[in-house]
Amino acid sequence: MGGGGVDPRQRIETGAMHWRQMVAIALCVLLNALDGFDVLAISFAAPGIAAEWQVDRAALGVVLSMELFGMAAGSVLLGRVADRIGRRPVILACLAIMAAGMALAPLVGGIVTLSLVRLVTGLGIGGMLATTNAMVAEQANARSRSLAVTIMAAGYPLGAIVGGTIASALLAGGGWRDVFVFGAIVSAAFLPLTWWLLPETIGYLVERQPRDALARVNALLAQRGEPVLATLPDPAAAQARGGWRALFGPGLAGTTLLLTLAYLAHIMTFYFTLKWIPKIVVDLGHPAAVAGGVLVWANVGGLTGAVLLGLLSKRWPVRPLVLAALVGAVASVIVFGRAAGDLGTLKQAAALVGVFTNAAVVGLYALVADSFPVAARGSGTGFVIGVGRAGAALGPIVAGLLFAAGGDLALVADCMAGGSAIAALALLALPRRRAA
């Protein structure tokens, strides 16, 4: 091995961050922001869809969950593919799927077709989230990894804030289809940017060693002004640890199961609020454009919580921070269920929910990224997020059924807050030893 015998992965772990690594991480933040808008596009559009097609709450809950089922499959399947063929090609493929799905949504003529389109769109969204999480973890050095992952995850509410503000203006001056047209245009615009600015990670190239790995690694090292390699490190041991089987082998099984349970349970609470806020606000007598504004406030809180947790993670371990956020999530969702007064109170309660629920989500992403080795990081992240979202897709459906059965907002909120409580218990049982 050239370059003074120094493994390039070790250089990334211990060295300073190069500006090219920072650009790659920044682009992943923007891609996650796009994810945030694409996921919530159906929430912004939901009141208009319900009014135009006369959809009741139970059926609307199913529609709101369809891309979550797609996201579950996309996270599990495409996260595994990212471990096989690379992070970069999977991210590009996910972008193409998202752009196509958003473009098709305004063209459908009924609730069944829209549900199918959202299911397919979810494949791209889920694969994007799992793969960008691995990409950022491998671009960052050890000192900044937790902060980088939490900042990446903060892109999600950022996209909802910016996109939601635009969506509210579109709803005020047009119809629900305009929300999807906007999302399609922005998603397509990111394709050339990603092709140009986002390289494959050195960690993946060294671990998997595709046919041209040495040349690609040396090109990346040369761009960063670092010594090139004569040969690559032996990947055999690392490859033996990769794949889904490794996730349930000695040392990782407990971590995999507990992180999956924690993510599954909390994300049910998270998506209950994000998916139902616009419809809840409309049912309280406010127009759809105003309802979108309340959801924007929830994401302002989410962005605040994500940034706060990221900053605190530089000083304290992530797990106790996530536990505190989960406790706050339980309390804030219960409070939101009793905030059916004036619009200002609703906005404040939604923002409070956003602070705690999203802080817990981004903290979980950081825990997941730090709990799996590089060879299994895409698979591990994809499994946790994918299986978690499969269960989380039931959140909006369960809430819809509770509403349809006559439950008021307070009762439904109390029930849905239980997900964050279960997540807290799972993290308390999580092994403290970091996976090797």
Side-chain angles (χ1 to χ4, degrees), residues 266 269-270 273 322-336 352-361 413 416-421:
H266 175 62
T269 304
F270 181 72
T273 56
V322 179
L323 284 168
L326 288 169
V327 172
V330 173
S332 61
V333 171
I334 291 173
V335 169
F336 176 77
L352 189 65
V353 168
V355 168
F356 290 109
T357 58
N358 201 57
V361 168
M416 301 308 297
S420 297

Side-chain angles (χ1 to χ4, degrees), residues 45 101 104 136 169 187 269 355:
L104 288 172
V136 168
S187 297
T269 304
V355 168

Side-chain angles (χ1 to χ4, degrees), residues 275-353:
K275 292 292 186 179
W276 276 102
I277 279 177
K279 189 66 169 68
I280 289 169
V281 175
V282 167
D283 288 346
L284 291 173
H286 301 286
V290 171
V294 176
L295 186 56
V296 168
W297 273 102
N299 284 282
V300 169
L303 179 60
T304 303
V307 172
L308 182 61
L309 187 134
L311 294 174
L312 292 175
S313 71
K314 295 286 287 184
R315 184 169 181 179
W316 288 289
V318 172
R319 182 161 64 171
L321 295 175
V322 179
L323 284 168
L326 288 169
V327 172
V330 173
S332 61
V333 171
I334 291 173
V335 169
F336 176 77
R338 289 154 177 81
D342 61 88
L343 192 61
T345 302
L346 281 169
K347 289 180 178 179
Q348 293 170 7
L352 189 65
V353 168

Side-chain angles (χ1 to χ4, degrees), residues 13 142 145 251 369-372 377 431-436:
E13 285 290 298
R145 182 164 294 123
D370 202 42
S371 296
F372 297 102
R377 184 167 286 141
R432 294 184 179 276
R433 180 176 60 85
R434 177 179 170 175

Side-chain angles (χ1 to χ4, degrees), residues 77-97:
L77 298 177
L78 297 180
R80 175 59 175 152
V81 172
D83 278 343
R84 288 184 174 273
I85 69 171
R87 310 337 186 182
R88 183 174 182 268
V90 171
I91 288 174
L92 288 166
C94 289
L95 259 180
I97 293 171

Side-chain angles (χ1 to χ4, degrees), residues 96 115 272 314 412:
S115 296
F272 156 65
K314 295 286 287 184
V412 175

Side-chain angles (χ1 to χ4, degrees), residues 187-275:
S187 297
F190 267 97
L191 277 167
L193 281 175
T194 304
W195 180 273
W196 180 40
L197 294 175
L198 193 65
E200 188 55 79
T201 69
I202 289 177
Y204 166 80
L205 293 171
V206 172
E207 293 285 356
R208 300 297 301 186
Q209 297 198 10
R211 183 173 53 187
D212 56 349
L214 179 60
R216 293 169 68 184
V217 168
N218 282 337
L220 291 171
L221 292 174
Q223 288 176 351
R224 300 175 188 181
E226 298 182 11
V228 298
L229 305 175
T231 59
L232 290 174
D234 182 8
Q239 288 189 8
R241 295 196 303 269
W244 286 335
R245 184 178 300 176
L247 303 182
F248 299 97
L252 279 183
T255 296
T256 300
L257 292 173
L258 287 168
L259 283 174
T260 301
L261 174 60
Y263 186 80
L264 182 156
H266 175 62
I267 212 73
M268 289 184 71
T269 304
F270 181 72
Y271 275 114
F272 156 65
T273 56
L274 288 186
K275 292 292 186 179

